[in-house]
Amino acid sequence: MAKKATPPQIDPDLAALAAAYGVSVEYVDQVGVPTQVAADSVRAVLAALGVAAKTAAQCRRSLADLKLLHWASIVPPVIVLRRIAEPDSEPWETWVHARSSDAVRVWIELEEGGRRFDVARTDRKVKPAQVDGERVEELIFRVPSDLPLGWHEFVAEVDGAEHRCSLVVCPERLEMPGSTGSRQGWGVATQLYSARSHRSWGTGDLADLSEMASWFGREHGASFMLVNPLHACAPTPGMEPSPYLPVTRRYVNPLYLRIEQIPEFAYLPPDVLAEVARDGAALAAALNTDELLNRDETWAHKRAALVKIHEVELSPGRACEYAAFCEAEGESLDQFAAWCALAEVHGPQWDEWPAELQDRHSEAVAEFVANNPGSIDFYRWLQWIVDQQMGQAQQAAIDAGMPVGVMHDLAVGVHRFGADTWTDGDVMASGVTVGAPPDAFNQVGQNWSQPPMRPDQLAATGYASYRDMLRTLLRHSGGLRIDHVLGLFRLWWIPDGKAASAGTYVRYDHHAMVNILVLEAHRAGAVIVGEDLGTVEPWVSDFLAERGVLGTTILWFERADGEPVPPQDWRANAMAAVTVHDLPPTLGYLAGDHVALRQELGLLTRPVEQEWAAHAEEIDSWRQTLERDGLLRPGAGEAGIVNALHRFVAWSPAKLVAVSLADLVGERRTQNQPGTKDEYPNWRVPLADSEGVPVFIEDFPKIARMEQIINALGGSAKHG
């Protein structure tokens, strides 16, 4: 094999500028080897941050501009503080910049009202700087340590002018919901769109989620229902099947609505009501037997029904509820609704719209909004209706005794030309996408085709868009899974036109990102699970654990020196499971379906004989371990192994255990095959048994293997 070429040494001026902006010029690869980043990749990433770096002179000038920007700012862009109980902890301090002759007065305006003036100036000296020929001092102020948790405002009055920034006080750590006690909680992980009832219009919906939560909670004592991201995709034909490539992470896909549970459905004119009911029943009967899910057909029928229901006049009380929802969501909801209405006319990618509509601030957009009030109100109304059904699902889970309830999933990012990049373009980077560097499973790296948020603009905007997204997700849930939680620390940025391997890491203020996450979860009474699989520096997992964020443990990955790691050695601060959605369900994994599929699709990176030999060795080692530990009798079949593997997971000290709904019903097919787009029907496989026969929610009480696996986890009809 040819030796990998080493990029030329990075110029010191470029390296200094990159370090100032958190852009890596070197990283450690998957086998622990320091790897240098090409200079042109570093320059391209800096350009995506709006930083000129083509020459050494530009680098020096840009670095000087950054330092000047700091001194020209009167107050920090945002202040994020973590409350720590230890008496000897560092005091909270921040700065104010003022010219030496300026009079300065500082106070804090509390989120719930009132002011705190006990912000004392310290005598700590900082070397002053020159800004536009004038001397500027950095004054250090001590913030009172007994401020309540929340989003306050730090205010500095300098020469009569007020300067403000958000001051966020976060809890020391996030505690598990009190009702779980010391008992290990378990729950069901499902791809909601695939889990249908006979009343579903072709895809699983929020009423199906309510039904599953009620049954698993009441009948089996489950603690939570983990669902795939329910983020919205474009409301146009060719609906994106991947829940991990949405157009927004704040708003919900109305595909998940149950039409018949909208209150105004009952007040349709009798002939229209009968027509909609017949259409839904016929659609359910037709689509629920298809081999693959058809989101476009489901949405076409649901949209037609929703348009009719939207025309029903709201009662006075319902009208007040709707008005309050719109007021609370504010401009963000208006902008998202405008994007949806524009997408219906001009297509789902705003870069293909007429130029005058690509800027949401343009007069053309304002004119479109003024001329299309009905269409825009329709999309606002959809979010209100889906928000209500999300609340109903969580209430059903709580009423069923679940201490956590519904656990939602947060995708890594969004479509690069979707709603979030149109509405929050200032926060999103252009000219780059995110992915992953080469590793043992993807030797050329990965490009997820999603633009990253800019760390500098997140801070400059006080993390408002990040906060509001978290609040929406946590409003009707007791938990949140963060896909690729390492993205709160650093992301692999890939310049447009370059291979995935030609990217580099960009660091984020993980203190701010994680502490704000903990604050919002604390307020919602929710548990947070970070998907921290892959190459993770130990300090990252320790940092998350210290703040009460659970990690993720997958049984198949728990191996050391070629052997399974004993469950008692697994970490406690985690949610553990046998499998994950990017792998086949356990029956399929045991049979090597993933090896056969990757061979069929040409995705193997070594000879197929080696793959099958490695797979056989892996499964044999698990069988031997299970037999040795008394969990499996010799000669047991695949169903016995599946039960034993779940009991093995339950033996771990993990605070939460998740079982895939696919495992509970005997499904073999994977939902997603990484490295493919159209070669495999990713995210379009409906829930079925081991023979491919569709399984519906109404079938659950009759499935023997479901009871067996739940018993293996420690749950039962009598709740253990």
Side-chain angles (χ1 to χ4, degrees), residues 542-614:
D542 292 343
F543 183 92
L544 292 171
E546 183 183 325
R547 281 150 178 78
V549 177
L550 303 183
T552 299
T553 300
I554 301 300
L555 174 138
W556 299 122
F557 303 153
E558 290 301 302
R559 300 178 67 83
D561 300 323
E563 294 297 323
V565 175
Q568 63 268 23
D569 293 340
W570 293 12
R571 55 183 169 164
N573 193 73
M575 180 175 73
V578 175
T579 191
V580 69
H581 58 255
D582 285 337
L583 294 173
T586 305
L587 277 179
Y589 193 92
L590 290 170
D593 289 357
H594 54 304
V595 178
L597 180 60
R598 289 164 63 205
Q599 179 188 8
E600 178 185 340
L601 299 177
L603 298 175
L604 296 179
T605 57
R606 58 181 176 176
V608 65
E609 295 80 10
Q610 291 185 24
E611 290 284 348
W612 280 113

Side-chain angles (χ1 to χ4, degrees), residues 17-18 122 129 226 259 322 346 367 392 400 447 456 487 499 571 600 624 638 679 691:
L17 180 63
T122 72
L226 169 61
I259 298 297
Y322 178 42
H346 298 287
E367 183 178 351
Q392 290 164 10
N447 188 333
D456 57 333
R571 55 183 169 164
E600 178 185 340
Q624 290 182 34
E638 288 182 332
E679 302 92 332
E691 303 300 321

Side-chain angles (χ1 to χ4, degrees), residues 52-205:
K54 290 183 178 179
T55 65
Q58 277 190 346
C59 290
R60 291 191 292 272
R61 189 159 53 248
S62 293
L63 188 58
D65 289 344
L66 180 62
K67 294 177 180 177
L68 181 63
L69 177 64
H70 167 74
W71 282 97
S73 302
I74 305 300
V75 296
V78 63
I79 305 166
V80 181
L81 303 172
R82 177 187 176 216
R83 178 179 288 167
I84 301 178
E86 288 84 353
D88 57 347
S89 59
E90 290 292 322
W92 290 345
E93 293 182 345
T94 190
W95 51 263
V96 173
H97 289 151
R99 286 157 177 78
S100 55
S101 60
D102 291 341
V104 177
R105 192 164 68 104
V106 171
W107 68 90
I108 295 167
E109 294 189 356
L110 301 176
E111 182 179 26
E112 299 300 326
R115 293 182 174 184
R116 292 283 296 267
F117 292 95
D118 51 337
V119 185
R121 181 179 169 182
T122 72
D123 56 5
R124 184 153 66 87
K125 301 296 183 182
V126 178
K127 184 179 179 181
Q130 293 288 320
V131 177
D132 296 331
E134 293 188 78
R135 185 174 182 267
V136 174
E137 292 184 359
E138 185 165 287
L139 312 177
I140 306 300
F141 288 86
R142 182 159 295 172
V143 178
S145 60
D146 62 344
L147 289 176
L149 301 176
W151 292 76
H152 315 298
E153 277 199 313
F154 178 81
V155 187
E157 184 182 78
V158 181
D159 266 0
E162 290 185 2
H163 303 268
R164 298 170 175 265
C165 71
S166 292
L167 188 155
V168 194
V169 180
C170 307
E172 181 175 11
R173 62 177 284 109
L174 183 64
E175 302 298 335
M176 291 285 288
S179 54
T180 59
S182 59
R183 178 174 58 89
Q184 183 183 68
W186 73 274
V188 180
T190 180
Q191 300 291 309
L192 180 57
Y193 53 84
S194 73
R196 303 169 299 175
S197 65
H198 288 298
R199 297 177 180 177
S200 308
W201 290 22
T203 56
D205 58 36

Side-chain angles (χ1 to χ4, degrees), residues 140-314:
I140 306 300
F141 288 86
R142 182 159 295 172
V143 178
S145 60
D146 62 344
L147 289 176
L149 301 176
W151 292 76
H152 315 298
E153 277 199 313
F154 178 81
V155 187
E157 184 182 78
V158 181
D159 266 0
E162 290 185 2
H163 303 268
R164 298 170 175 265
C165 71
S166 292
L167 188 155
V168 194
V169 180
C170 307
E172 181 175 11
R173 62 177 284 109
L174 183 64
E175 302 298 335
M176 291 285 288
S179 54
T180 59
S182 59
R183 178 174 58 89
Q184 183 183 68
W186 73 274
V188 180
T190 180
Q191 300 291 309
L192 180 57
Y193 53 84
S194 73
R196 303 169 299 175
S197 65
H198 288 298
R199 297 177 180 177
S200 308
W201 290 22
T203 56
D205 58 36
L206 287 163
D208 293 322
L209 177 58
S210 295
E211 186 70 25
M212 288 190 288
S214 183
W215 190 73
F216 280 114
R218 295 179 190 278
E219 187 71 11
H220 293 291
S223 296
F224 63 91
M225 290 290 304
L226 169 61
V227 297
N228 57 279
L230 304 186
H231 311 316
C233 60
T236 55
M239 187 170 280
E240 172 59 52
S242 173
Y244 292 93
L245 187 57
V247 298
T248 176
R249 295 191 292 172
R250 179 167 179 180
Y251 293 107
V252 181
N253 192 344
L255 180 74
Y256 292 105
L257 282 169
R258 173 65 64 87
I259 298 297
E260 296 87 345
Q261 288 194 356
I262 301 171
E264 286 68 37
F265 170 78
Y267 299 104
L268 287 167
D271 57 331
V272 177
L273 178 61
E275 178 190 348
V276 171
R278 284 195 306 269
D279 185 53
L283 186 69
L287 292 187
N288 285 356
T289 58
D290 285 355
E291 292 185 6
L292 295 177
L293 302 175
N294 189 334
R295 287 174 173 82
D296 284 342
E297 190 167 355
T298 293
W299 176 239
H301 287 265
K302 283 193 175 182
R303 188 190 185 286
L306 289 163
V307 167
K308 294 180 176 70
I309 298 170
H310 179 239
E311 294 171 354
V312 176
E313 184 177 0
L314 297 174

Side-chain angles (χ1 to χ4, degrees), residues 679-718:
E679 302 92 332
Y680 180 80
N682 294 324
W683 317 112
R684 289 177 285 161
V685 178
L687 192 68
D689 64 16
S690 58
E691 303 300 321
V693 177
V695 173
F696 298 92
I697 293 172
E698 292 87 345
D699 301 325
F700 288 2
K702 300 176 290 186
I703 300 174
R705 74 166 63 242
M706 185 175 288
E707 184 80 21
Q708 294 165 3
I709 293 175
I710 291 174
N711 284 337
L713 291 173
S716 74
K718 295 183 175 61

Side-chain angles (χ1 to χ4, degrees), residues 348-425:
Q349 295 196 185
W350 60 258
D351 66 318
E352 298 176 356
W353 296 355
E356 63 271 17
L357 296 174
Q358 295 183 19
D359 179 3
R360 68 176 176 85
H361 300 289
S362 70
E363 292 183 7
V365 170
E367 183 178 351
F368 177 88
V369 169
N371 292 336
N372 295 273
S375 178
I376 291 168
D377 186 69
F378 174 65
Y379 284 106
R380 275 196 299 255
W381 174 81
L382 283 180
Q383 288 305 310
W384 175 53
I385 296 297
V386 78
D387 183 78
Q388 291 189 322
Q389 291 196 5
M390 295 263 283
Q392 290 164 10
Q394 173 64 358
Q395 191 60 52
I398 297 302
D399 290 346
M402 288 187 170
V404 174
V406 178
M407 183 184 295
H408 287 288
D409 197 350
L410 175 63
V412 177
V414 295
H415 193 287
R416 66 187 309 180
F417 298 114
D420 277 3
T421 57
W422 188 72
T423 59
D424 292 325

